[in-house]
Amino acid sequence: MIALGLMLTIGLGLTLYWGSVAYLTWDPTASPDSDDEAPARLPSLTESARRYLRGVAVALVGGIWAGALVTGPAIRLIMRLLAATAGDAAQGRRTEADEIVGSIDLDGTFGLYIFGGLLSGLASGFIYLLIRRWLPAGRAGGVVFGLFHLILLATRIDPLRPDNVDFALVGPGWLAVLTFGLATIAHGMAVAAIANRFSRAFPATVAAGNPTPSRVSTILALVPPVLLLIPGFFVLILLVPGLVFAVGVLRVTKALESWRSPRVLRVGRVAGVAIAAVYLPWTVIDLASIAT
């Protein structure tokens, strides 16, 4: 518990410190000495693949490190807090995950850390790269991304499913809603902050005048995600359709121009607000049912 607390402190510190860092896009066809007025050159297959693989690397680093330093520790510490505040009647009873309330064991901690932290962070990293351009700039982007998780995902997947019987066992309910709600928002903020920071490190010569981390820190940041993909190599299969799309469809100049157009940006933001407005009432009802 002490180790997880230290990790969470470091993770939240990095999230706040890097929260204002903007995502640095990378166009392999651009040159620092090129004329801004010149028409864009159609990227080659190699350049399109490099751009896609760079995005995958940013998603992996942002998602897995956010899960390792923020989400995983937060979820485990919250479960310990809720067990401690559940009262004597709940101690020794089994949770939905078949764990014993009040018992601190390595297996339960490891399971929560992997499934509640690393895997959820991995998924969020790729979601962030897909919707990043429609989020506000600066720290607000991370907060909105966290609220996106809270409104659309937290009460339907985890950690705030109202049909989870653990909320009738540990508690109180309002404390579960408060702590897990804050952890969900912090999860989104951490993914955005770490991904934005790492976008400036890969490749290191991404743009003139932009400070980038050293090659050593870049490699060290990539090591844990790569090691995690070794037992989960099947995940790589899911990346193949994206690679085909990147080197095929997005190489068409008109497709690139349409995707980057202000109109698509406005439509995406309006659609995001509309979706959140539809789901918000149901989320409020679900959270209220847990709290009461």
Side-chain angles (χ1 to χ4, degrees):
M1 293 299 105
I2 293 174
L4 290 173
L6 291 174
M7 293 168 65
L8 179 60
T9 301
I10 294 172
L12 292 177
L14 292 176
T15 298
L16 295 175
Y17 184 68
W18 290 337
S20 60
V21 176
Y23 186 90
L24 189 61
T25 58
W26 177 57
D27 186 354
T29 67
S31 170
D33 302 323
S34 63
D35 184 4
D36 293 338
E37 301 288 333
R41 175 175 63 84
L42 187 67
S44 66
L45 290 173
T46 302
E47 290 168 337
S48 298
R50 287 174 60 202
R51 183 187 181 102
Y52 174 75
L53 294 176
R54 174 187 182 266
V56 170
V58 172
L60 287 174
V61 169
I64 288 181
W65 277 107
L69 294 177
V70 175
T71 318
I75 293 293
R76 184 63 186 96
L77 290 170
I78 290 171
M79 291 299 296
R80 180 70 196 117
L81 173 64
L82 295 178
T85 57
D88 294 337
Q91 306 305 312
R93 298 180 63 181
R94 290 191 177 275
T95 66
E96 185 184 53
D98 203 29
E99 298 294 335
I100 304 299
V101 176
S103 173
I104 303 175
D105 63 274
L106 186 60
D107 289 342
T109 298
F110 186 76
L112 277 174
Y113 188 81
I114 294 295
F115 294 100
L118 298 184
L119 294 184
S120 64
L122 176 63
S124 294
F126 284 99
I127 293 174
Y128 178 71
L129 262 290
L130 289 174
I131 69 172
R132 171 194 57 79
R133 65 190 305 267
W134 291 300
L135 297 173
R139 298 182 188 277
V143 175
V144 171
F145 189 55
L147 289 172
F148 163 84
H149 283 78
L150 181 61
I151 295 173
L152 301 183
L153 301 175
T155 60
R156 289 154 188 85
I157 301 176
D158 263 325
L160 287 167
R161 282 186 297 108
D163 61 347
N164 188 334
V165 297
D166 292 351
F167 292 124
L169 182 63
V170 299
W174 66 266
L175 184 60
V177 170
L178 177 63
T179 52
F180 278 127
L182 291 175
T184 301
I185 296 175
H187 168 80
M189 293 174 63
V191 171
I194 297 174
N196 289 353
R197 178 57 174 159
F198 190 71
S199 71
R200 298 174 175 270
F202 191 79
T205 56
V206 64
N210 288 290
T212 60
S214 66
R215 288 290 187 183
V216 174
S217 62
T218 300
I219 294 173
L220 290 177
L222 275 169
V223 168
V226 171
L227 292 178
L228 284 172
L229 283 180
I230 293 176
F233 65 92
F234 60 89
V235 175
L236 297 176
I237 300 175
L238 302 177
L239 302 178
V240 174
L243 179 61
V244 174
F245 182 78
V247 301
V249 177
L250 289 185
R251 287 186 67 248
V252 181
T253 303
K254 290 184 178 180
L256 284 171
E257 292 175 352
S258 299
W259 179 251
R260 297 172 180 174
S261 68
R263 181 179 179 182
V264 171
L265 179 63
R266 290 192 298 268
V267 170
R269 287 180 173 174
V270 170
V273 171
I275 293 172
V278 171
Y279 275 89
L280 181 59
W282 300 106
T283 300
V284 172
I285 293 173
D286 289 338
L287 296 179
S289 70
I290 295 173
T292 57

PDB file of all heavy atoms in Angstrom, residues 15-31:
ATOM      1  N   THR A  15       1.357  14.167 -14.016  1.00  0.00           N
ATOM      2  CA  THR A  15       0.136  14.560 -14.723  1.00  0.00           C
ATOM      3  C   THR A  15      -0.075  16.062 -14.637  1.00  0.00           C
ATOM      4  O   THR A  15      -0.384  16.725 -15.641  1.00  0.00           O
ATOM      5  CB  THR A  15      -1.078  13.826 -14.145  1.00  0.00           C
ATOM      6  OG1 THR A  15      -0.913  12.417 -14.337  1.00  0.00           O
ATOM      7  CG2 THR A  15      -2.363  14.274 -14.826  1.00  0.00           C
ATOM      8  N   LEU A  16       0.092  16.625 -13.463  1.00  0.00           N
ATOM      9  CA  LEU A  16      -0.082  18.066 -13.287  1.00  0.00           C
ATOM     10  C   LEU A  16       1.053  18.847 -13.959  1.00  0.00           C
ATOM     11  O   LEU A  16       0.821  19.906 -14.550  1.00  0.00           O
ATOM     12  CB  LEU A  16      -0.153  18.409 -11.798  1.00  0.00           C
ATOM     13  CG  LEU A  16      -1.361  17.839 -11.042  1.00  0.00           C
ATOM     14  CD1 LEU A  16      -1.251  18.151  -9.557  1.00  0.00           C
ATOM     15  CD2 LEU A  16      -2.660  18.402 -11.613  1.00  0.00           C
ATOM     16  N   TYR A  17       2.267  18.324 -13.872  1.00  0.00           N
ATOM     17  CA  TYR A  17       3.433  19.019 -14.438  1.00  0.00           C
ATOM     18  C   TYR A  17       3.377  19.054 -15.965  1.00  0.00           C
ATOM     19  O   TYR A  17       3.731  20.057 -16.590  1.00  0.00           O
ATOM     20  CB  TYR A  17       4.708  18.329 -13.957  1.00  0.00           C
ATOM     21  CG  TYR A  17       5.980  19.014 -14.393  1.00  0.00           C
ATOM     22  CD1 TYR A  17       6.327  20.266 -13.889  1.00  0.00           C
ATOM     23  CD2 TYR A  17       6.842  18.400 -15.302  1.00  0.00           C
ATOM     24  CE1 TYR A  17       7.504  20.893 -14.280  1.00  0.00           C
ATOM     25  CE2 TYR A  17       8.016  19.018 -15.698  1.00  0.00           C
ATOM     26  CZ  TYR A  17       8.342  20.263 -15.184  1.00  0.00           C
ATOM     27  OH  TYR A  17       9.486  20.876 -15.589  1.00  0.00           O
ATOM     28  N   TRP A  18       2.957  17.938 -16.571  1.00  0.00           N
ATOM     29  CA  TRP A  18       2.894  17.853 -18.030  1.00  0.00           C
ATOM     30  C   TRP A  18       1.510  18.189 -18.596  1.00  0.00           C
ATOM     31  O   TRP A  18       1.294  18.115 -19.800  1.00  0.00           O
ATOM     32  CB  TRP A  18       3.268  16.439 -18.486  1.00  0.00           C
ATOM     33  CG  TRP A  18       4.709  16.119 -18.283  1.00  0.00           C
ATOM     34  CD1 TRP A  18       5.747  16.992 -18.183  1.00  0.00           C
ATOM     35  CD2 TRP A  18       5.294  14.801 -18.173  1.00  0.00           C
ATOM     36  NE1 TRP A  18       6.936  16.320 -18.005  1.00  0.00           N
ATOM     37  CE2 TRP A  18       6.688  14.977 -17.993  1.00  0.00           C
ATOM     38  CE3 TRP A  18       4.770  13.518 -18.204  1.00  0.00           C
ATOM     39  CZ2 TRP A  18       7.568  13.903 -17.852  1.00  0.00           C
ATOM     40  CZ3 TRP A  18       5.647  12.440 -18.063  1.00  0.00           C
ATOM     41  CH2 TRP A  18       7.024  12.626 -17.887  1.00  0.00           C
ATOM     42  N   GLY A  19       0.588  18.558 -17.727  1.00  0.00           N
ATOM     43  CA  GLY A  19      -0.785  18.766 -18.175  1.00  0.00           C
ATOM     44  C   GLY A  19      -0.954  19.835 -19.224  1.00  0.00           C
ATOM     45  O   GLY A  19      -1.863  19.763 -20.056  1.00  0.00           O
ATOM     46  N   SER A  20      -0.082  20.850 -19.220  1.00  0.00           N
ATOM     47  CA  SER A  20      -0.212  21.948 -20.184  1.00  0.00           C
ATOM     48  C   SER A  20       0.580  21.723 -21.464  1.00  0.00           C
ATOM     49  O   SER A  20       0.538  22.547 -22.382  1.00  0.00           O
ATOM     50  CB  SER A  20       0.242  23.262 -19.537  1.00  0.00           C
ATOM     51  OG  SER A  20       1.604  23.172 -19.129  1.00  0.00           O
ATOM     52  N   VAL A  21       1.315  20.603 -21.545  1.00  0.00           N
ATOM     53  CA  VAL A  21       2.103  20.308 -22.746  1.00  0.00           C
ATOM     54  C   VAL A  21       1.172  19.946 -23.895  1.00  0.00           C
ATOM     55  O   VAL A  21       0.279  19.115 -23.743  1.00  0.00           O
ATOM     56  CB  VAL A  21       3.093  19.155 -22.483  1.00  0.00           C
ATOM     57  CG1 VAL A  21       3.834  18.779 -23.767  1.00  0.00           C
ATOM     58  CG2 VAL A  21       4.076  19.554 -21.389  1.00  0.00           C
ATOM     59  N   ALA A  22       1.375  20.573 -25.032  1.00  0.00           N
ATOM     60  CA  ALA A  22       0.524  20.316 -26.196  1.00  0.00           C
ATOM     61  C   ALA A  22       1.041  19.116 -26.985  1.00  0.00           C
ATOM     62  O   ALA A  22       2.249  18.857 -27.022  1.00  0.00           O
ATOM     63  CB  ALA A  22       0.480  21.543 -27.098  1.00  0.00           C
ATOM     64  N   TYR A  23       0.126  18.398 -27.596  1.00  0.00           N
ATOM     65  CA  TYR A  23       0.507  17.263 -28.446  1.00  0.00           C
ATOM     66  C   TYR A  23       1.219  17.805 -29.681  1.00  0.00           C
ATOM     67  O   TYR A  23       0.766  18.758 -30.318  1.00  0.00           O
ATOM     68  CB  TYR A  23      -0.726  16.472 -28.863  1.00  0.00           C
ATOM     69  CG  TYR A  23      -0.407  15.208 -29.624  1.00  0.00           C
ATOM     70  CD1 TYR A  23      -0.212  14.011 -28.958  1.00  0.00           C
ATOM     71  CD2 TYR A  23      -0.308  15.211 -31.011  1.00  0.00           C
ATOM     72  CE1 TYR A  23       0.086  12.845 -29.645  1.00  0.00           C
ATOM     73  CE2 TYR A  23      -0.011  14.055 -31.714  1.00  0.00           C
ATOM     74  CZ  TYR A  23       0.188  12.866 -31.022  1.00  0.00           C
ATOM     75  OH  TYR A  23       0.484  11.722 -31.726  1.00  0.00           O
ATOM     76  N   LEU A  24       2.347  17.191 -30.024  1.00  0.00           N
ATOM     77  CA  LEU A  24       3.135  17.642 -31.168  1.00  0.00           C
ATOM     78  C   LEU A  24       2.897  16.701 -32.342  1.00  0.00           C
ATOM     79  O   LEU A  24       3.306  15.544 -32.315  1.00  0.00           O
ATOM     80  CB  LEU A  24       4.624  17.670 -30.804  1.00  0.00           C
ATOM     81  CG  LEU A  24       5.547  18.323 -31.834  1.00  0.00           C
ATOM     82  CD1 LEU A  24       5.168  19.786 -32.037  1.00  0.00           C
ATOM     83  CD2 LEU A  24       6.993  18.225 -31.382  1.00  0.00           C
ATOM     84  N   THR A  25       2.184  17.193 -33.329  1.00  0.00           N
ATOM     85  CA  THR A  25       1.934  16.376 -34.517  1.00  0.00           C
ATOM     86  C   THR A  25       3.204  16.266 -35.342  1.00  0.00           C
ATOM     87  O   THR A  25       4.109  17.099 -35.245  1.00  0.00           O
ATOM     88  CB  THR A  25       0.806  16.977 -35.357  1.00  0.00           C
ATOM     89  OG1 THR A  25       1.164  18.327 -35.727  1.00  0.00           O
ATOM     90  CG2 THR A  25      -0.501  17.006 -34.577  1.00  0.00           C
ATOM     91  N   TRP A  26       3.235  15.271 -36.165  1.00  0.00           N
ATOM     92  CA  TRP A  26       4.432  15.016 -36.970  1.00  0.00           C
ATOM     93  C   TRP A  26       4.026  14.670 -38.397  1.00  0.00           C
ATOM     94  O   TRP A  26       3.253  13.745 -38.612  1.00  0.00           O
ATOM     95  CB  TRP A  26       5.243  13.873 -36.367  1.00  0.00           C
ATOM     96  CG  TRP A  26       6.449  13.493 -37.165  1.00  0.00           C
ATOM     97  CD1 TRP A  26       7.478  14.302 -37.527  1.00  0.00           C
ATOM     98  CD2 TRP A  26       6.754  12.202 -37.708  1.00  0.00           C
ATOM     99  NE1 TRP A  26       8.404  13.604 -38.245  1.00  0.00           N
ATOM    100  CE2 TRP A  26       7.987  12.315 -38.368  1.00  0.00           C
ATOM    101  CE3 TRP A  26       6.096  10.976 -37.672  1.00  0.00           C
ATOM    102  CZ2 TRP A  26       8.580  11.235 -39.002  1.00  0.00           C
ATOM    103  CZ3 TRP A  26       6.692   9.897 -38.305  1.00  0.00           C
ATOM    104  CH2 TRP A  26       7.921  10.025 -38.960  1.00  0.00           C
ATOM    105  N   ASP A  27       4.524  15.451 -39.332  1.00  0.00           N
ATOM    106  CA  ASP A  27       4.263  15.193 -40.744  1.00  0.00           C
ATOM    107  C   ASP A  27       5.578  14.800 -41.394  1.00  0.00           C
ATOM    108  O   ASP A  27       6.473  15.634 -41.553  1.00  0.00           O
ATOM    109  CB  ASP A  27       3.690  16.446 -41.419  1.00  0.00           C
ATOM    110  CG  ASP A  27       3.277  16.177 -42.856  1.00  0.00           C
ATOM    111  OD1 ASP A  27       3.550  15.061 -43.354  1.00  0.00           O
ATOM    112  OD2 ASP A  27       2.697  17.076 -43.490  1.00  0.00           O
ATOM    113  N   PRO A  28       5.752  13.523 -41.764  1.00  0.00           N
ATOM    114  CA  PRO A  28       7.026  13.083 -42.345  1.00  0.00           C
ATOM    115  C   PRO A  28       7.323  13.720 -43.687  1.00  0.00           C
ATOM    116  O   PRO A  28       8.450  13.660 -44.165  1.00  0.00           O
ATOM    117  CB  PRO A  28       6.857  11.558 -42.483  1.00  0.00           C
ATOM    118  CG  PRO A  28       5.377  11.363 -42.561  1.00  0.00           C
ATOM    119  CD  PRO A  28       4.778  12.428 -41.702  1.00  0.00           C
ATOM    120  N   THR A  29       6.331  14.357 -44.318  1.00  0.00           N
ATOM    121  CA  THR A  29       6.570  14.999 -45.617  1.00  0.00           C
ATOM    122  C   THR A  29       7.020  16.440 -45.463  1.00  0.00           C
ATOM    123  O   THR A  29       7.401  17.068 -46.437  1.00  0.00           O
ATOM    124  CB  THR A  29       5.287  14.987 -46.459  1.00  0.00           C
ATOM    125  OG1 THR A  29       4.301  15.835 -45.837  1.00  0.00           O
ATOM    126  CG2 THR A  29       4.740  13.589 -46.582  1.00  0.00           C
ATOM    127  N   ALA A  30       6.942  16.966 -44.210  1.00  0.00           N
ATOM    128  CA  ALA A  30       7.298  18.364 -43.997  1.00  0.00           C
ATOM    129  C   ALA A  30       8.771  18.495 -43.657  1.00  0.00           C
ATOM    130  O   ALA A  30       9.398  17.594 -43.109  1.00  0.00           O
ATOM    131  CB  ALA A  30       6.452  18.960 -42.885  1.00  0.00           C
ATOM    132  N   SER A  31       9.325  19.656 -43.957  1.00  0.00           N
ATOM    133  CA  SER A  31      10.705  19.960 -43.646  1.00  0.00           C
ATOM    134  C   SER A  31      10.762  21.326 -42.982  1.00  0.00           C
ATOM    135  O   SER A  31      10.034  22.240 -43.362  1.00  0.00           O
ATOM    136  CB  SER A  31      11.556  19.969 -44.929  1.00  0.00           C
ATOM    137  OG  SER A  31      12.847  20.487 -44.652  1.00  0.00           O
TER     138      SER A  31
END
